[in-house]
């Protein structure tokens, strides 16, 4: 049975194609800087947005009607598994990602929930084997159920901490069973509403305790996935502890967790934190912690996480630039479309058009970023801009040969006034435009 009978397999047809069911830029086997596009991007579909979201917002009901909606909970979950793999095959996307709550209905007890999960995991495994599709990452949803009202690992209620631990344990086992390449921790409700009633020290210590327990258990069961923290500054929590890349890295460092975690950087979370996506990727990269990305984009006119499919070529180009500059590229991570169709795009086909748009935006960004690197458009400018550190007093500073005293001596002996040079940023931006237009 087909869930998307009107959708053909999406192939690369190039720029001149007028077929909306085709890629204009994503050509999986095309080699860019020594690797195929498929290898560079490691594309993934996010289960929750694609198979669970139906367009509800705080003011209105769902607008999308899917064929599985009328089924009983467990049958609905089974149908979604089949729809997931049909979509992956038709899009030619190699990976997917999910939370426990996305794939199986929650039962009345933990034991019942785990039983439901086992039924679905067996089906996921069967379909993975039949199609060759893989799990980029899985995670535990520790934010939807009302028990997480005060947080999960950072709840004031130790019973909730315990329930969270049991849920994470199960999802680590599921990750192992399905061969997940990564495991994500997004602290949706790990934060606080008001400092007036919050023991921030205890909450942060407890968050670290939970992550250490997860590291230990993964070792115990031989689950070799890369662990990832996904920073976000707020929403749903007013202040989230993993605010941004720098904050998450400081936390990992302080609690002796840095060796076990990298970061999953999401575009819309970056902008909510007041950063660009490329800023967050640069911070992660410079700290050896660029693990994976959640590819989407926000709306600069709105202050919340709109999770739109990415179409901004500046952002995808500069994101891919950071990934290409990263040692090993995206590594075990991937480009996961943590993105949802707009509420007004409620037809099944929109799920395909949205992924095609996002995938082509990233393929275009990859080609533009490769050209920026090959032609040294930015490297050349940066090398020249910092050239004062390659010789003379600058070289001494970099080599650690200078002190306040020696630098004072140097300044006192200089006859000429200091001369600065223009940044010519507008010229550089025009050069970037040219590269994006040209690929
Ligand atoms: C929420 C978000 C999550 C994580 C996984 O903003 O991005 O879906 O990616 O829990
Ligand atoms: Co995300």
């Amino acid at each position: 049975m087909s869930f998307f009978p009107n959708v053909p397999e999406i192939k690369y047809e190039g720029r001149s194609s007028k077929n909306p069911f085709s890629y204009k830029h994503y050509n999986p086997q095309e080699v860019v800087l020594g690797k195929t596009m498929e290898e560079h991007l490691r594309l993934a579909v996010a289960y929750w947005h694609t198979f669970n979201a139906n367009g509800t917002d705080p003011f209105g009901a769902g607008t999308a009607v899917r064929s599985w909606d009328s089924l009983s909970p467990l049958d609905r979950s089974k149908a979604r598994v089949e729809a997931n793999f049909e979509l992956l095959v038709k899009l030619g996307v190699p990976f997917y990602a999910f939370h426990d709550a996305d794939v199986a209905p929650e039962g009345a007890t933990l034991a019942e929930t785990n039983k439901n999960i086992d039924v679905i995991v067996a089906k996921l495994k069967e379909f993975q084997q039949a199609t060759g599709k893989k799990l980029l990452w899985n995670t535990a949803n520790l934010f939807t159920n009302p028990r997480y009202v005060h947080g999960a690992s950072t709840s004031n209620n130790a019973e909730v901490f315990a329930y969270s631990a049991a849920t994470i344990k199960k999802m680590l086992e599921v990750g192992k069973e399905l061969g997940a390449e990564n495991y994500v921790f997004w602290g949706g409700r790990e934060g606080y509403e008001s400092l007036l009633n919050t023991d921030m020290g205890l909450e942060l210590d407890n968050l670290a305790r939970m992550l250490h327990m997860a590291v230990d258990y993964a070792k115990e069961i031989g689950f070799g996935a890369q662990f990832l923290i996904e920073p976000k500054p707020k929403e749903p929590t007013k202040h989230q502890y993993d605010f941004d890349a720098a904050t998450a890295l400081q936390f990992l460092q302080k609690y002796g967790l840095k060796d076990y975690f990298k970061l999953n950087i999401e575009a819309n979370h970056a902008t909510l934190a007041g950063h660009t996506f490329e800023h967050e990727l640069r911070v992660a990269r410079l700290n050896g912690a660029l693990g994976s990305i959640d590819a989407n984009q926000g709306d600069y006119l709105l202050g919340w996480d709109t999770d739109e499919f990415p179409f901004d070529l500046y952002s995808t180009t500069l994101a891919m630039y950071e990934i290409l500059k990263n040692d090993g590229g995206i590594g075990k991570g991937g480009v996961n479309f943590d993105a949802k169709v707009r509420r007004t795009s409620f037809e099944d086909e929109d799920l395909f058009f949205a992924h095609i748009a996002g995938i082509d935006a990233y393929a275009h960004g990859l080609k533009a970023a490769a050209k920026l690197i090959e032609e040294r458009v930015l490297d050349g400018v940066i090398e020249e801009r910092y050239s004062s550190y390659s010789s003379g007093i600058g070289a001494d500073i970099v080599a650690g040969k200078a002190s306040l005293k020696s630098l004072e001596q140097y300044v006192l002996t200089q006859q000429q006034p200091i001369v600065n040079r223009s940044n010519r940023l507008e010229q550089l931006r025009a050069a970037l435009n040219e590269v994006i237009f040209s690929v």
Side-chain angles (χ1 to χ4, degrees):
M1 178 202 161
S2 170
F3 290 89
F4 309 107
N6 303 326
V7 180
E9 283 204 14
I10 316 297
K11 301 269 184 232
Y12 172 71
E13 291 183 9
R15 248 181 162 159
S16 56
S17 172
K18 295 276 177 276
N19 175 8
F21 286 117
S22 75
Y23 293 119
K24 315 288 185 290
H25 291 273
Y26 182 59
N27 186 7
Q29 296 316 316
E30 185 177 327
V31 174
V32 178
L33 292 181
K35 280 203 294 196
T36 64
M37 283 195 174
E38 190 173 17
E39 290 165 337
H40 275 295
L41 294 174
R42 293 168 57 84
L43 301 166
V45 164
Y47 214 95
W48 53 104
H49 285 312
T50 301
F51 302 106
N52 298 63
N54 63 359
T56 40
D57 73 11
F59 303 94
T63 53
V65 180
R66 308 293 184 209
S67 53
W68 48 80
D69 286 351
S70 54
L71 303 172
S72 67
L74 202 56
D75 284 343
R76 192 185 310 150
S77 295
K78 289 180 185 168
R80 283 179 173 140
V81 172
E82 292 173 24
N84 174 51
F85 285 92
E86 182 180 343
L87 181 120
L88 294 176
V89 168
K90 286 189 166 167
L91 284 173
V93 164
F95 292 99
Y96 69 111
F98 67 83
H99 306 79
D100 47 356
D102 309 334
V103 294
E106 187 158 356
T109 62
L110 181 69
E112 233 178 84
T113 302
N114 287 350
K115 227 170 100 190
N116 289 343
I117 289 175
D118 289 341
V119 171
I120 299 300
V121 165
K123 196 168 169 81
L124 289 167
K125 192 169 183 180
E126 184 191 310
F127 273 77
Q128 282 187 194
Q129 280 163 353
T131 59
K133 303 297 177 189
K134 295 191 229 160
L135 184 55
L136 184 67
W137 52 260
N138 65 317
T139 185
N141 176 328
L142 304 177
F143 45 89
T144 299
N145 190 291
R147 82 174 65 85
Y148 302 115
V149 60
H150 300 306
S153 314
T154 64
S155 173
N156 56 307
N157 185 348
E159 302 292 329
V160 177
F161 184 100
Y163 203 99
S164 307
T167 304
I168 291 171
K169 173 178 177 287
K170 177 68 181 170
M171 288 312 279
L172 293 174
E173 290 160 7
V174 164
K176 181 177 182 210
E177 174 71 8
L178 295 176
E181 307 215 358
N182 304 271
Y183 184 90
V184 164
F185 293 85
W186 170 60
R189 295 197 191 268
E190 311 294 29
Y192 66 85
E193 191 176 21
S194 168
L195 278 183
L196 295 176
N197 60 7
T198 299
D199 185 343
M200 190 197 263
L202 178 67
E203 291 198 2
L204 286 165
D205 289 352
N206 280 349
L207 182 55
R209 287 186 180 106
M210 185 71 86
L211 297 179
H212 273 292
M213 288 182 202
V215 168
D216 291 346
Y217 190 64
K219 265 193 212 153
E220 191 181 322
I221 63 172
F223 178 36
Q226 173 65 54
F227 277 8
L228 301 170
I229 297 261
E230 185 176 324
K232 186 177 183 181
K234 57 187 169 191
E235 197 203 3
T237 311
K238 180 178 149 177
H239 179 98
Q240 194 173 309
Y241 288 133
D242 298 320
F243 191 93
D244 60 2
T247 313
L249 287 166
Q250 176 276 337
F251 169 86
L252 293 170
Q253 192 87 46
K254 174 175 173 187
Y255 288 100
L257 289 160
K258 178 81 174 51
D259 291 347
Y260 308 106
F261 285 80
K262 288 187 175 182
L263 302 178
N264 182 35
I265 302 291
E266 176 163 330
N268 205 163
H269 296 181
T271 50
L272 283 178
H275 302 305
T276 59
F277 189 24
E278 58 271 21
H279 166 96
E280 289 292 85
L281 293 167
R282 179 76 58 97
V283 171
R285 168 163 85 79
L286 291 182
N287 286 282
L290 205 179
S292 195
I293 67 170
D294 269 6
N296 59 17
Q297 74 179 62
D299 187 320
Y300 286 103
L301 301 181
L302 302 175
W304 65 92
D305 197 12
T306 59
D307 282 344
E308 297 180 38
F309 275 86
F311 57 82
D312 178 345
L313 297 181
Y314 282 85
S315 178
T316 61
T317 298
L318 296 177
M320 286 313 302
Y321 185 80
E322 294 304 322
I323 289 168
L324 290 178
K325 285 276 185 182
N326 192 44
D327 214 8
I330 199 70
K332 281 178 88 166
V335 173
N336 173 47
F337 289 99
D338 189 353
K340 58 182 178 229
V341 289
R342 298 303 83 197
R343 186 168 189 267
T344 46
S345 303
F346 46 77
E347 292 170 2
D348 289 355
E349 285 77 6
D350 289 308
L351 295 174
F352 287 84
F353 295 136
H355 280 95
I356 291 169
I359 290 169
D360 266 342
Y362 265 84
H364 192 129
L366 168 62
K367 289 188 284 183
K371 191 165 175 182
L372 285 173
I373 289 172
E374 274 169 336
E375 298 186 356
R376 303 197 80 249
V377 178
L378 306 183
D379 282 331
V381 168
I382 289 173
E383 201 174 286
E384 172 65 21
R385 191 157 178 263
Y386 293 88
S387 59
S388 66
Y389 287 93
S390 319
S391 61
I393 196 70
D396 286 350
I397 293 171
V398 170
K401 290 187 196 152
S403 66
L404 293 186
K405 262 181 8 199
S406 75
L407 292 173
E408 180 197 49
Q409 201 49 42
Y410 171 79
V411 173
L412 291 172
T413 58
Q414 290 306 296
Q415 307 301 325
Q416 305 297 327
I418 288 174
V419 179
N420 271 313
R421 292 176 60 190
S422 165
N423 254 352
R424 300 214 169 139
L425 188 55
E426 296 79 359
Q427 186 191 35
L428 185 57
R429 286 186 168 141
L432 173 60
N433 271 357
E434 283 310 315
V435 169
I436 294 174
F437 293 150
S438 73
V439 295

